[in-house]
Amino acid sequence: MSINFGGVLALAGLLAVGGCAADRGYAVPDHVCGVPVDSAALAPLLPGGEGRTESFTDKGQGSVSCRLSVDGSTVLYLAADVTDRGTAAVSLDDDGLRRLGNPVLVDGAGDVTAVADRGAKAAAECTHAGQPRLFVGLVQSEAAPPRDALLTFLASWFPAARAALGC
C-alpha cells in the first residue's frame, strides 16, 4: 500500500485551518466600539472563544473608552480622548506606556506613535469644536501580541476613532 504524502499534507492543512476557525465561535467584526476597522487587522488581537462583547463608556468632553471581552474576560481596551495641544500624551516618560512594557517611539498612526509589549498609543493634532486640540488613541491588550499586530490595528482604528469624536 502506498501513501500519498501530498494528500496527507493537504488534509493536515485543512484540519489545521479548520481547527483555528473552530477555536473562535464568533465572527471577527468590521466595526469596534462604534467605528469601522479592518477585521483582518483586529483578528490577531482576539483569542479563540465562544462569544465577544463590547462595553462602551462615554466619559464626556471628547473622551470615550471601550472594552472588548471574549467569554467574559477583557482582551482589548480602547481609549480615545480629545485634549489640549501641548500635552505630552505620547512620551516614553508616560507611566501608562511604561506599564505596557518597553515602549518605543515609531512611525505610525499619528503625529507621534509609540508601541509597547501590550499596547500602542498615538496622538495627532486636530480641530475639535473649532478649537485646536490633540486627539489621543490608545490600544491596550491583555495578551502580548506581536508589536506589528498592535500597530496595524492602531493604524486601522485611529483615523476612524478620531473622526467619530469630531476631530
Side-chain angles (χ1 to χ4, degrees):
M1 176 173 167
S2 68
I3 296 176
N4 179 343
F5 287 107
V8 170
L9 290 175
L11 179 59
L14 284 174
L15 290 173
V17 170
C20 292
D23 289 345
R24 191 176 284 149
Y26 59 91
V28 176
D30 60 1
H31 279 73
V32 173
C33 304
V35 300
V37 296
D38 178 2
S39 59
L42 177 59
L45 304 181
L46 296 179
E50 293 303 312
R52 180 193 61 82
T53 58
E54 293 181 10
S55 173
F56 185 81
T57 303
D58 184 345
K59 301 173 187 177
Q61 304 294 318
S63 182
V64 296
S65 67
C66 183
R67 293 183 188 280
L68 277 72
S69 299
V70 173
D71 296 344
S73 295
T74 299
V75 296
L76 203 59
Y77 173 78
L78 307 173
D81 298 291
V82 177
T83 189
D84 295 327
R85 281 192 182 170
T87 303
V90 179
S91 161
L92 296 181
D93 295 328
D94 180 336
D95 288 338
L97 273 173
R98 286 193 298 203
R99 278 192 300 272
L100 295 177
N102 306 307
V104 294
L105 296 176
V106 295
D107 289 332
D111 299 334
V112 180
T113 303
V115 65
D117 294 337
R118 293 182 328 278
K121 189 174 185 181
E125 291 187 359
C126 70
T127 301
H128 183 264
Q131 299 296 314
R133 302 300 297 250
L134 186 68
F135 175 78
V136 182
L138 170 70
V139 175
Q140 182 177 330
S141 175
E142 293 301 314
R147 287 175 177 232
D148 62 333
L150 287 163
L151 286 172
T152 298
F153 177 73
L154 181 67
S156 172
W157 171 77
F158 187 86
R162 182 178 172 181
L165 284 181
C167 224

